[in-house]
Amino acid sequence: MKLPNISATPVSRRVFAMGAFSAVTAVALSACGADNKPATSSPTPSDLAAGGASTITMWVDAERAPALKDIAAKFKAETGIEVKLVVKDFSAVRDDFITQVPTGKGPDLIVGPHDWVGKFVQNGVIAPVELGDKAAAFTATSIRAMTFDGATYGVPYSVENIALLRNKALLPAAVTTFDEVVAAGKGVVDAGKAQYAFLVGLDPKQGDPYHLYPLQTSMGSAVFGTDAQGEYDAKQLVIGGPEGIAFAKKLVEWGDTGSKVLNSNITGDIAKEEFKNGKSPYYLTGPWNVPDLQAAGIDLAIDPLPTAGDHKAQPFVGVNGFFISAKSANALATTSFVTNYLTTEDAQDSMFTTGGRPPALIASFKKAAKDPIVEAFGKIGEGGVPMPAIPEMDAVWNDWGATELDLIKGKADPATAWPKMADSIKSKIGA
Amino acid sequence: MTLAPQTTDDAAVATSPAPSQLKRRPRQFKDHGPDSLKGILVKIVLLGLVDAFAVYVMMMLFMAQSWVVLAIAAAVTVLINWIYLRKGGLPAKYLAPGVFFLVVFQVFVVLYSGYIAFTNYGDGHNSTKEDAISAIQIMAQTRVPDSPAYQTSVLDQNGELFLLFTSPEGVVTMGSATEPMSTVTDAVTDGSGKAISVPGYDTLNFNQIIARQDAILDIAVPVSDDPAQGSLRTPDGTTSFAFKPSMTYDAATDTFTDVETGATYTDNGEGAFAAADGSQLSTGWKINVGFDNFVRAFTDPTLRAPLLSVMLWTFTFSIASVILTFALGLFLAITFNRDDLRGKKVYRVLMILPYAFPAFLSGLVWSGILNPQFGWLNQTLLGGAEIGWLTDPVLAKISVLVVNLWLGFPYMFLVCTGALQSLPTELDEAARVDGAGPFRVFRSIKLPLLLVSIAPLLIASFAFNFNNFNVIYMLTGGGPRFEDTTRNIGSTDILITLVYKVAFGQGTGRDYGLASALAIIIFIIVATVSAISFKQTKALEEVNR
């Protein structure tokens, strides 16, 4: 580099440039920290443009955004109100919403599973939605899932639950009990046509109580009891009862030290891969894996969930829906969009077409159920129970998963480990 | 930032008239050089851009009515202008950017964490008391059971808003925020039987409704004299329902009263409304709790036992990681430092590969490789042995260390290679002449000299590994779990993953207050250890004297 004869100039200029840059950043950053409340204008009623100038902000994840684009466009065409879709990372939506709403910078509306509702209510960031007579148009399970403390908090749009997937090429006929499933599966393995009698994605580090729940409920054990209104009651933790211990004993029987039907080393990914390769006749999973399996050329049948005891096998049902912020500056427009637009058959149809999740609106579900797979999943869902939305549920997962994992590995005694787990959960939630 | 080409200066200097140069000469003895015309222009333009942007941002802040930030932004802008426009003060021109970033990214973050550590911020204490009260009131609005839905139109008369209701039976009534319910006989209905207008009133269309939504949402028209029948409200401007609050708030006494049971809930001083029997309303608010979080960190029985073992493991993990990565990196650096080695470049590139992978990804991949049954390690290398690399407490710790060694040695390899290059070869030769063997040369000459330049990096590496969240979280998630606590804490958890679990509620809900308190404790530990170590490294530098 050829130095000019006045050496201070380039240096001070460089410093200056850096300083300029940092000043810009300074101001920008301080702006980031600002408490930007959208300036709400109150135009005169005759001023239509001002009325139509308002926008509704909605947080969606990338997967659902396309389905909502059309509806948003339609809403804008009819009312002049723009629905701004902000695509967020699904894993961060819940916590971001809770953090952002109090600052006034949160969205008017978000999409998510119903089991978020408890946390939202606890943090005061969500407003109830009155569906009125429209509630009857939705499946009972989906409305029950969205109901918390006697009020409806969201508009449901899809219902999800697991089912037993069967590879027709390996096993042509369906059976009902879990013992029969295992026996049929073993038959296929013994015939040398498969490697595993039965697959379910667990996790060598945390277990997976969600997928094993239908087996647990079929033995009469649940997590929380329900109150008179049919809502989960945190005060009634029933998981530690004798039925639960019976289920715990079964886990040991099915696990590493027993028949090895449940294998905790098989993660969700491995289970999917092995089933895709035709290594097992059975796979316990949800509709989210179906498209990939069909693309891999597996001839699928959706069987009812197998029972391990003499009760019904009830899976957890997850209901996706729309929730309105408690501090929405645009509450009436948002409510109108949610209750009058997103509840329509068109909207629910279009969300099914792009998302592939069975619709919560009965009319749309009937249309979607022309696909036997959707129909089968839906039928199983009708017998399911909503995933508990009470905040106390958060405290259950870890102990529950870890204990089931120990039992499957044969490292724990069901008679002591299961009640200990129940006590541990009780101490956390103060039940 | 790119540097402007230097030639412009030469040109500017060359073309500038001589007299001005003569005039400027005396100034050369001050702490800044004379500015060329171009230099001044560039300065003015850049500063102008900055100020334009600053003014724009300040206007936005003014619109948003955030006065504090506005004042800070204005002060910062003035300060920046003053620093770069004044004649002297060259050190400030150098230091300003660095100091600024230090304040924003370090000091502010530490202070803010400190502030949160003294609050009960977390699930259920998410915002201000006002917000909590309004949220409880919103949620307490419940629809009167079995009450009908009324089709609704919104009317306007001289600026006052009225709601026009049509009951399912076709009875038309209207009311406003001030006028009680009255029956309407001369309403105009549409095809479906819904009343849409009344002579003497303007019917609002949807856009007009949206424009005045706040006023419309506030209208509550009592259904009758019996308060049990509730008040009609419209959430969307087209349908109304009879709502009745299940909780009423009395601002004078600052209490909520449950309409059904009559229980009163008062502010219990802990950021929540509580009844006499101790039951709380679930929505609370953020308050300052003093040193409670710090006390909890050391006294909470579910935290105390694991905290000690987690602390020990954190130190073990970070110190062992530094020693192992340094040892391997140095060994390889010396090995590959021979001049007569062929294909050195290829080896070095291969060495750096693990460093080039994001730790996130590597953690997940290793987690798969170490799967007890299906992992490549057990399946392929150990012939199907089912060793629980990540599920046995001791093996999991070893696995974490090994994976971190794999991730970390390339960095040490790089810095050691660099440091070795700078060692004078004469020392080596002189030592050999004196009859020292290669190991003796390494121990007495190379290593001390290396440590002079590398010791600060080792301290930095320690601080980094002390908070090496990615490896732990992606590989083991902190597991396998401890048996002696109800918290989801395991034998490979280090302090930072424990803080994460506390903060983001891997079990009992998020608790930012406690997590910030723990983070402050971590900060104090790391700062102390680093300060002591830096003092020690000063001793190393005496080698050079």
Side-chain angles (χ1 to χ4, degrees):
Chain A
M1 166 171 144
K2 181 171 165 288
L3 277 180
N5 41 9
I6 301 165
S7 59
T9 335
V11 175
S12 58
R13 178 187 305 157
R14 187 189 326 170
V15 172
F16 172 71
M18 282 174 71
F21 172 74
S22 61
V24 171
T25 335
V27 180
L29 279 170
S30 49
C32 290
D35 187 347
N36 297 324
K37 284 204 183 61
T40 43
S41 52
S42 9
T44 53
S46 59
D47 189 351
L48 296 186
S54 50
T55 50
I56 299 171
T57 311
M58 178 174 186
W59 283 358
V60 289
D61 51 290
E63 208 183 309
R64 298 182 186 83
L68 295 165
K69 268 206 184 80
D70 307 345
I71 303 157
K74 191 175 159 214
F75 190 67
K76 179 158 189 188
E78 287 188 27
T79 63
I81 293 173
E82 188 180 349
V83 180
K84 200 168 105 196
L85 300 178
V86 179
V87 178
K88 303 259 313 180
D89 172 21
F90 181 75
S91 58
V93 168
R94 182 178 94 159
D95 284 357
D96 281 1
F97 183 73
I98 293 173
T99 321
Q100 294 279 319
V101 167
T103 68
K105 284 192 291 188
D108 297 305
L109 188 63
I110 61 165
V111 183
H114 77 271
D115 49 313
W116 289 353
V117 169
K119 273 268 189 280
F120 287 163
V121 169
Q122 184 191 17
N123 287 304
V125 293
I126 183 177
V129 183
E130 187 50 64
L131 282 169
D133 309 339
K134 294 195 176 83
F138 289 94
T139 59
T141 314
S142 64
I143 293 294
R144 196 154 65 103
M146 288 292 172
T147 307
F148 190 86
D149 278 355
T152 320
Y153 278 96
V155 171
Y157 87 84
S158 79
V159 179
E160 268 179 340
N161 49 271
I162 54 173
L164 184 64
L165 272 55
R166 175 165 48 85
N167 185 336
K168 283 193 210 163
L170 295 174
L171 268 183
V175 289
T176 51
T177 71
F178 190 62
D179 289 341
E180 288 167 348
V181 164
V182 174
K186 277 213 163 61
V188 179
V189 174
D190 292 343
K193 284 195 275 182
Q195 203 178 329
Y196 310 94
F198 169 86
L199 282 174
V200 58
L202 297 171
D203 186 313
K205 288 176 281 201
Q206 294 151 7
D208 194 335
Y210 171 82
H211 280 96
L212 297 178
Y213 196 61
L215 293 171
Q216 187 176 336
T217 47
S218 73
M219 299 187 66
S221 167
V223 181
F224 288 109
T226 50
D227 58 17
Q229 285 78 39
E231 288 191 40
Y232 289 111
D233 181 3
K235 294 272 177 291
Q236 300 183 47
L237 185 77
V238 297
I239 195 168
E243 299 90 352
I245 295 172
F247 170 68
K249 289 198 176 98
K250 279 278 186 200
L251 283 179
V252 178
E253 278 175 40
W254 294 323
D256 294 354
T257 51
S259 58
K260 296 199 168 81
V261 177
L262 301 179
N263 181 341
S264 62
N265 294 327
I266 297 183
T267 61
D269 298 340
I270 296 172
K272 184 175 168 181
E273 200 54 36
E274 299 290 32
F275 187 75
K276 208 154 82 179
N277 297 335
K279 296 234 177 105
S280 172
Y282 287 114
Y283 179 23
L284 187 66
T285 187
W288 45 88
N289 279 329
V290 168
D292 284 358
L293 296 171
Q294 284 177 320
I298 301 282
D299 189 7
L300 285 179
I302 312 294
D303 290 351
L305 291 160
T307 52
D310 39 19
H311 295 260
K312 270 174 50 183
Q314 297 178 302
F316 274 138
V317 175
V319 177
N320 278 294
F322 301 94
F323 309 107
I324 300 176
S325 157
K327 287 189 82 169
S328 165
N330 219 342
L332 193 140
T334 308
T335 309
S336 180
F337 176 60
V338 168
T339 54
N340 302 334
Y341 271 73
L342 295 174
T343 53
T344 57
E345 231 176 290
D346 279 357
Q348 300 257 336
D349 285 350
S350 123
M351 281 184 285
F352 170 70
T353 325
T354 36
R357 294 179 160 99
L361 192 75
I362 295 168
S364 293
F365 178 75
K366 282 196 175 126
K367 273 191 235 171
K370 289 198 178 79
D371 178 348
I373 289 188
V374 174
E375 186 188 24
F377 271 110
K379 204 168 255 162
I380 293 164
E382 279 167 26
V385 287
M387 175 99 79
I390 45 177
E392 286 82 359
M393 189 65 196
D394 271 16
V396 175
W397 291 111
N398 272 310
D399 288 281
W400 195 15
T403 308
E404 287 193 354
L405 190 63
D406 284 347
L407 291 166
I408 291 169
K409 287 188 175 163
K411 286 202 300 195
D413 171 26
T416 54
W418 199 260
K420 189 180 154 202
M421 166 195 83
D423 290 342
S424 167
I425 297 171
K426 267 206 178 83
S427 73
K428 283 186 200 176
I429 62 176
Chain B
M1 258 164 286
T2 55
L3 285 177
Q6 298 298 332
T7 52
T8 54
D9 283 315
D10 299 346
V13 170
T15 53
S16 56
S20 67
Q21 277 193 330
L22 284 173
K23 252 186 244 170
R24 279 196 208 157
R25 188 156 298 156
R27 273 206 232 147
Q28 285 180 0
F29 299 103
K30 295 191 179 167
D31 60 350
H32 66 99
D35 287 337
S36 65
L37 184 65
K38 261 218 167 83
I40 290 176
L41 278 178
V42 169
K43 194 183 208 172
I44 287 171
V45 167
L46 282 176
L47 210 51
L49 283 173
V50 171
D51 289 346
F53 183 73
V55 168
Y56 166 74
V57 168
M58 282 189 262
M59 271 160 48
M60 299 300 284
L61 290 173
F62 182 81
M63 299 287 283
Q65 303 180 356
S66 32
W67 309 120
V68 177
V69 189
L70 178 65
I72 293 170
V76 168
T77 313
V78 170
L79 186 71
I80 297 267
N81 276 295
W82 177 74
I83 286 175
Y84 289 100
L85 283 176
R86 60 191 280 237
K87 284 273 188 290
L90 194 59
K93 288 176 179 160
Y94 277 101
L95 287 175
V99 168
F100 170 75
F101 283 117
L102 184 75
V103 168
V104 170
F105 291 119
Q106 294 270 332
V107 179
F108 173 74
V109 172
V110 171
L111 289 180
Y112 190 73
S113 303
Y115 157 69
I116 294 291
F118 292 97
T119 68
N120 62 355
Y121 185 33
D123 270 335
H125 303 281
N126 194 40
S127 188
T128 60
K129 187 172 178 178
E130 281 171 18
D131 278 350
I133 291 169
S134 88
I136 295 170
Q137 283 176 312
I138 288 177
M139 291 177 211
Q141 286 291 354
T142 47
R143 188 175 161 192
V144 177
D146 308 320
S147 63
Y150 295 81
Q151 292 188 292
T152 307
S153 302
V154 185
L155 311 178
D156 169 85
Q157 189 186 46
N158 309 327
E160 193 185 356
L161 290 165
F162 289 83
L163 298 181
L164 181 67
F165 308 109
T166 313
S167 75
E169 296 81 35
V171 180
V172 180
T173 52
M174 73 187 288
S176 77
T178 51
E179 306 262 329
M181 194 91 124
S182 58
T183 312
V184 181
T185 48
D186 54 353
V188 181
T189 54
D190 65 1
S192 67
K194 173 185 177 181
I196 49 170
S197 65
V198 177
Y201 295 84
D202 300 322
T203 304
L204 299 191
N205 67 18
F206 189 70
N207 280 333
Q208 292 164 312
I209 289 174
I210 297 293
R212 299 168 73 179
Q213 55 182 326
D214 291 342
I216 292 168
L217 288 172
D218 283 340
I219 302 175
V221 185
V223 175
S224 68
D225 296 339
D226 175 14
Q229 290 194 310
S231 309
L232 288 179
R233 289 166 169 268
T234 179
D236 61 355
T238 54
T239 323
S240 298
F241 304 98
F243 288 105
K244 191 180 63 173
S246 59
M247 288 262 183
T248 52
Y249 179 66
D250 180 8
T253 55
D254 189 23
T255 54
F256 269 102
T257 308
D258 189 317
V259 174
E260 240 174 88
T261 62
T264 52
Y265 294 84
T266 47
D267 182 345
N268 65 355
E270 289 169 20
F273 284 106
D277 65 354
S279 63
Q280 290 189 358
L281 297 182
S282 66
T283 311
W285 58 94
K286 193 163 74 173
I287 56 160
N288 290 332
V289 292
F291 281 92
D292 278 11
N293 288 318
F294 292 92
V295 173
R296 263 173 68 204
F298 292 112
T299 56
D300 184 336
T302 59
L303 259 182
R304 200 176 42 208
L307 195 65
L308 193 66
S309 45
V310 166
M311 197 100 81
L312 280 174
W313 163 239
T314 310
F315 274 103
T316 315
F317 169 75
S318 37
I319 292 170
S321 288
V322 172
I323 293 172
L324 288 173
T325 52
F326 179 59
L328 184 60
L330 181 61
F331 171 76
L332 289 169
I334 289 173
T335 315
F336 287 104
N337 206 25
R338 293 185 63 97
D339 291 335
D340 53 353
L341 187 73
R342 279 178 165 189
K344 231 181 346 188
K345 277 205 172 122
V346 178
Y347 287 125
R348 280 187 178 159
V349 168
L350 287 176
M351 284 293 152
I352 292 164
L353 276 184
Y355 191 44
F357 282 106
F360 250 87
L361 200 69
S362 313
L364 287 171
V365 171
W366 274 97
S367 169
I369 291 176
L370 298 173
N371 181 303
Q373 190 181 339
F374 298 91
W376 176 82
L377 186 68
N378 281 345
Q379 278 237 308
T380 314
L381 289 190
L382 304 174
E386 295 201 7
I387 301 169
W389 293 108
L390 299 177
T391 49
D392 174 86
V394 178
L395 280 179
K397 284 183 172 165
I398 293 171
S399 303
V400 166
L401 278 173
V402 170
V403 172
N404 202 27
L405 170 63
W406 183 83
L407 282 167
F409 85 86
Y411 169 75
M412 291 295 180
F413 169 74
L414 280 177
V415 297
C416 290
T417 302
L420 280 173
Q421 306 288 346
S422 64
L423 292 188
T425 47
E426 299 87 28
L427 286 174
D428 204 2
E429 286 164 18
R432 279 172 198 280
V433 170
D434 283 348
F439 185 71
R440 179 68 204 234
V441 172
F442 170 76
R443 205 172 53 92
S444 309
I445 295 176
K446 279 191 181 170
L447 190 61
L449 284 172
L450 272 181
L451 279 178
V452 173
S453 55
I454 291 195
L457 296 175
L458 295 183
I459 295 163
S461 173
F462 166 82
F464 171 79
N465 279 311
F466 202 89
N467 290 328
N468 198 337
F469 177 86
N470 290 352
V471 173
I472 305 284
Y473 199 75
M474 289 294 150
L475 196 62
T476 61
R481 259 180 65 150
F482 286 133
E483 296 297 320
D484 59 352
T485 172
T486 55
R487 280 184 187 264
N488 173 33
I489 302 170
S491 31
T492 55
D493 261 321
I494 54 175
L495 281 168
I496 195 76
T497 56
L498 179 138
V499 169
Y500 179 84
K501 286 174 177 181
V502 170
F504 294 98
Q506 305 266 305
T508 39
R510 304 172 310 154
D511 192 342
Y512 292 139
L514 182 58
S516 297
L518 291 169
I520 296 285
I521 293 168
I522 293 180
F523 172 76
I524 291 168
I525 293 171
V526 176
T528 313
V529 171
S530 302
I532 293 170
S533 315
F534 273 119
K535 270 218 155 56
Q536 295 293 322
T537 56
K538 283 220 171 83
L540 286 170
E541 289 175 22
E542 290 175 8
V543 175
N544 288 339
R545 288 180 197 152

